[in-house]
Amino acid sequence: MALFLKPLIIFLHDSWLALLSLLKNYGWSSEEAAGVPKRLQASIKTTWGRQLRSSLMVPLFKCLVAFCLIISLLVFIEGVYMNLVVLYVKLFKRKPEKVYKWEPMQEDIELGDESYPMVLVQIPMYNEKEVLRLSIGAACRLTWPLDRLIVQVLDDSTDETIKELVNTECAKWESKGVNIKCERRDNRNGYKAGALKQGMKHNYVKLCNYVAIFDADFQPEADYLQRSVPFLVHNPNVALVQARWRFMNANKCLMTRIQEMSLNYHFMAEQESGSTRHAFFSFNGTAGVWRMAAMEEAGGWNDRTTVEDMDLAVRAGLLGWKFVFLHDLTVKSELPSKFKAFRFQQHRWSCGPANLFRKMIMEIIRNKRVTLWKKLYLIYSFFFLRKILVHFFTFFFYCVVLPTSVFFPEVNIPAWSTFFIPSLITLFIVIATPRSFYLVIFWVLFENVMSMHRTKGTFIGILEGGRVNEWVVTEKLGDALKTKLLPQIGKPRNGCFESINSKEIMMGIYILCCACYGLFSGDTLLYLYLFMQAVAFLVSGVGFVGT
């Protein structure tokens, strides 16, 4: 090989010397002649960079923008559809009481209380010191014949002090005539789903017709069963009656106000439209009453994902059972007021549905008991668009593509995608919580921040990553919110850097750089939004969110 390369190298060397000699003859100095290769190299680099940008980077970015625009239209159409259904319900007063048979429960003269069905009330809890008295007390105060009601406390607590508090509370209500049981396991396998599944194995449960489920921070009103159970009694094809959540600590901080806006829209649009149009929606895991026969036919509780409530609902829905959502029936609950607790909750709420979609998509496709229309609704609208695509789109378009667009001024992003459609979608959401209209800017910015965690959780769920089955119980403060001992509820911080969130910091710095570049080189006002979004990420990054 060297034998053939040596003559070539000698030829190139001699040619280069001849070129230098020629340049000197034309009056070039030795330094100028030596600088020719440097200028030539810089010119080649500039030309190559421009060609790479024009032939690869710009077309690729245009494709990404086009992809986001298509998703934006899909999300907008879905939002319009749901709100039109809700508008139809309001205008024509299509309340569940008019669609389904409903009659108040009345005591029979001959049968007495036996005319009432047996109802089991389950309260799963895990070290819920701050709220256990509230939830147990609310369940035991339900207006229902005492001999037709069983309250089952499923206590997975590991703290002996809390166990004793649960025992004391149960004994107090038992002494008042309430049939209350406290059941414990020697492990936490399956977390909440495992506790509920174990609770259904007791012999006394077989006596019950219906089961109402309340998380430890939920407090139903006394007439909850009187208003919900009749739907199940008089409509044998109804499996679930779901109530709406009402948030007692919504005014605690800005973060809880923003959560209230999102969840109110979820109940007003997603649950209401699903109940009206398809008689199907996702069970919220609490504040609902199930028909025991429907649960048994669907296979009962399954702990294969962290959304056992949605899992059960989808399986029951595929069997043809109908669900009823009661917008006017509310149950008091608590929102997480600490940013860390909220992040863990959102990870579970985004990772679980994506993982369930992966596990159930073929089961939905092969199902023969529901219509093709309902299967399309489940796959496209319920799962793919709302539980997967919307998280990815929100983060990728508003936090990645839009900031990066300042470096590609030749790529036009239409105003309808950056202003008009987002404004209309935001307006839909604000309608559900009119009192928070003035917080709409904060809601947009904070939702974009949280979309990063939801996108991450969605990918973990789809790919079954390491945290796919992570379950962290959302921290609750309960009535401690009103006491002077509030600072002692949480654990003391170990250092000033404990609340630093590196992912938010990095995203904030990137968007801030894009905003600065757009300010000095752009001809649009996009940098105003980018500055605000960067601040939102940085504020969240240093933990200055929530209580």
Side-chain angles (χ1 to χ4, degrees):
M1 188 62 147
L3 183 65
F4 293 102
L5 288 177
K6 186 174 182 180
L8 179 61
I9 294 173
I10 294 174
F11 170 76
L12 293 174
H13 181 263
D14 291 342
S15 299
W16 175 244
L17 292 178
L19 178 61
L20 290 179
S21 176
L22 182 64
L23 291 173
K24 286 180 181 179
N25 291 336
Y26 279 93
W28 285 50
S29 65
S30 300
E31 291 77 8
E32 289 175 327
V36 170
K38 294 181 180 180
R39 289 194 294 272
L40 184 62
Q41 184 180 19
S43 177
I44 292 173
K45 284 183 176 180
T46 303
T47 304
W48 183 83
R50 289 175 179 172
Q51 290 179 346
L52 178 66
R53 176 184 175 88
S54 61
S55 62
L56 179 63
M57 297 177 68
V58 172
L60 179 61
F61 191 73
K62 285 183 178 179
C63 290
L64 293 176
V65 171
F67 177 66
C68 290
L69 295 182
I70 293 172
I71 299 176
S72 178
L73 285 174
L74 295 177
V75 173
F76 175 68
I77 293 171
E78 180 72 9
V80 170
Y81 165 75
M82 290 191 296
N83 282 273
L84 285 176
V85 173
V86 174
L87 182 62
Y88 163 78
V89 172
K90 302 298 182 186
L91 289 178
F92 294 93
K93 299 181 179 179
R94 298 287 292 174
K95 291 187 175 183
E97 291 83 353
K98 293 186 177 181
V99 178
Y100 297 91
K101 184 179 179 181
W102 187 92
E103 295 178 0
M105 299 298 301
Q106 295 179 352
E107 183 177 336
D108 189 274
I109 298 177
E110 296 181 0
L111 298 177
D113 290 342
E114 291 186 6
S115 61
Y116 284 75
M118 285 288 294
V119 177
L120 173 71
V121 178
Q122 290 184 313
I123 310 174
M125 58 177 59
Y126 172 72
N127 291 338
E128 310 283 4
K129 178 181 178 181
E130 288 77 17
V131 295
L132 66 89
R133 292 188 181 91
L134 297 175
S135 57
I136 295 175
C140 293
R141 293 189 190 96
L142 289 170
T143 303
W144 203 256
L146 292 179
D147 60 336
R148 311 300 290 172
L149 180 70
I150 302 175
V151 178
Q152 186 186 63
V153 179
L154 302 171
D155 185 25
D156 274 359
S157 300
T158 54
D159 189 306
E160 293 299 327
T161 303
I162 297 177
K163 286 183 179 181
E164 190 59 35
L165 289 174
V166 173
N167 291 337
T168 302
E169 191 68 15
C170 290
K172 181 183 79 173
W173 287 102
E174 187 176 21
S175 65
K176 296 181 179 181
V178 177
N179 187 1
I180 185 170
K181 312 285 186 182
C182 181
E183 308 292 354
R184 291 191 172 92
R185 303 185 293 165
D186 56 3
N187 59 71
R188 288 196 68 217
N189 295 340
Y191 303 109
K192 178 182 175 181
L196 292 169
K197 186 175 182 179
Q198 185 66 30
M200 299 293 284
K201 294 180 179 180
H202 298 280
N203 291 330
Y204 58 83
V205 173
K206 299 177 182 178
L207 303 173
C208 301
N209 307 103
Y210 311 109
V211 53
I213 302 168
F214 301 102
D215 282 350
D217 57 320
F218 279 71
Q219 305 163 49
E221 299 294 339
D223 64 348
Y224 175 86
L225 294 179
Q226 296 278 1
R227 296 175 62 183
S228 59
V229 171
F231 284 99
L232 296 165
V233 172
H234 300 297
N235 301 276
N237 59 345
V238 172
L240 168 68
V241 178
Q242 173 72 59
R244 181 167 58 91
W245 298 357
R246 180 159 55 95
F247 312 104
M248 302 304 295
N249 66 331
N251 294 325
K252 182 62 183 175
C253 61
L254 179 60
M255 191 182 78
T256 53
R257 290 290 297 273
I258 292 172
Q259 291 179 69
E260 181 192 35
M261 294 172 68
S262 299
L263 288 170
N264 281 351
Y265 178 73
H266 161 72
F267 284 107
M268 183 200 77
E270 294 185 24
Q271 303 297 73
E272 187 86 71
S273 64
S275 176
T276 302
R277 187 67 186 86
H278 306 279
F280 173 83
F281 50 86
S282 176
F283 174 44
N284 292 115
T286 179
V289 187
W290 276 92
R291 184 186 299 274
M292 300 281 278
M295 294 181 67
E296 293 173 2
E297 186 183 359
W301 296 106
N302 194 317
D303 60 3
R304 57 181 171 176
T305 68
T306 56
V307 284
E308 71 292 326
D309 42 14
M310 185 182 295
D311 190 342
L312 177 61
V314 173
R315 283 184 279 118
L318 290 175
L319 293 174
W321 289 98
K322 293 184 176 181
F323 301 164
V324 178
F325 173 69
L326 302 181
H327 185 271
D328 296 333
L329 179 60
T330 61
V331 177
K332 293 185 290 186
S333 64
E334 181 180 322
L335 294 164
S337 59
K338 293 188 176 182
F339 187 46
K340 184 177 180 180
F342 183 56
R343 286 173 61 188
F344 278 123
Q345 182 199 67
Q346 293 303 299
H347 170 82
R348 187 172 75 247
W349 285 6
S350 57
C351 178
N355 189 235
L356 182 63
F357 179 60
R358 172 191 171 115
K359 294 179 184 298
M360 291 202 69
I361 181 170
M362 294 310 299
E363 183 179 343
I364 296 172
I365 293 174
R366 290 193 294 261
N367 183 275
K368 299 184 184 301
R369 298 186 62 172
V370 297
T371 62
L372 177 62
W373 171 249
K374 189 167 185 177
K375 287 196 283 187
L376 288 174
Y377 167 75
L378 276 170
I379 294 174
Y380 169 73
S381 183
F382 180 78
F383 270 118
F384 182 67
L385 190 61
R386 298 183 201 168
K387 304 297 188 292
I388 296 175
L389 204 58
V390 70
H391 301 319
F392 167 79
F393 164 72
T394 304
F395 173 67
F396 189 69
F397 185 59
Y398 295 109
C399 302
V400 177
V401 171
L402 277 184
T404 307
S405 67
V406 300
F407 303 115
F408 296 92
E410 59 268 62
V411 178
N412 177 47
I413 301 179
W416 60 262
S417 66
T418 58
F419 180 76
F420 295 111
I421 283 184
S423 298
L424 287 174
I425 293 175
T426 304
L427 180 62
F428 293 155
I429 293 168
V430 171
I431 290 174
T433 315
R435 75 185 187 100
S436 299
F437 181 81
Y438 68 98
L439 298 174
V440 65
I441 299 297
F442 297 101
W443 179 86
V444 170
L445 298 175
F446 186 68
E447 281 294 296
N448 288 345
V449 172
M450 293 309 301
S451 69
M452 178 178 67
H453 297 286
R454 294 173 184 138
T455 301
K456 179 185 175 184
T458 300
F459 276 115
I460 291 175
I462 287 290
L463 302 175
E464 291 202 324
R467 294 178 59 196
V468 68
N469 289 317
E470 179 184 72
W471 183 290
V472 178
V473 177
T474 305
E475 183 178 359
K476 307 171 187 72
L477 303 180
D479 54 355
L481 284 168
K482 301 178 181 179
T483 71
K484 297 180 180 180
L485 300 176
L486 181 60
Q488 300 178 17
I489 294 174
K491 296 180 180 179
R493 294 189 175 185
N494 297 324
C496 59
F497 294 102
E498 184 180 350
S499 61
I500 296 296
N501 305 304
S502 58
K503 298 182 184 66
E504 285 89 340
I505 293 289
M506 288 188 291
M507 281 302 304
I509 292 174
Y510 174 72
I511 296 176
L512 183 61
C513 292
C514 295
C516 293
Y517 184 88
L519 174 63
F520 293 110
S521 63
D523 56 355
T524 66
L525 299 178
L526 178 62
Y527 65 87
L528 294 176
Y529 158 73
L530 296 181
F531 274 121
M532 290 189 293
Q533 191 62 70
V535 170
F537 269 103
L538 293 172
V539 169
S540 301
V542 296
F544 197 63
V545 178
T547 55

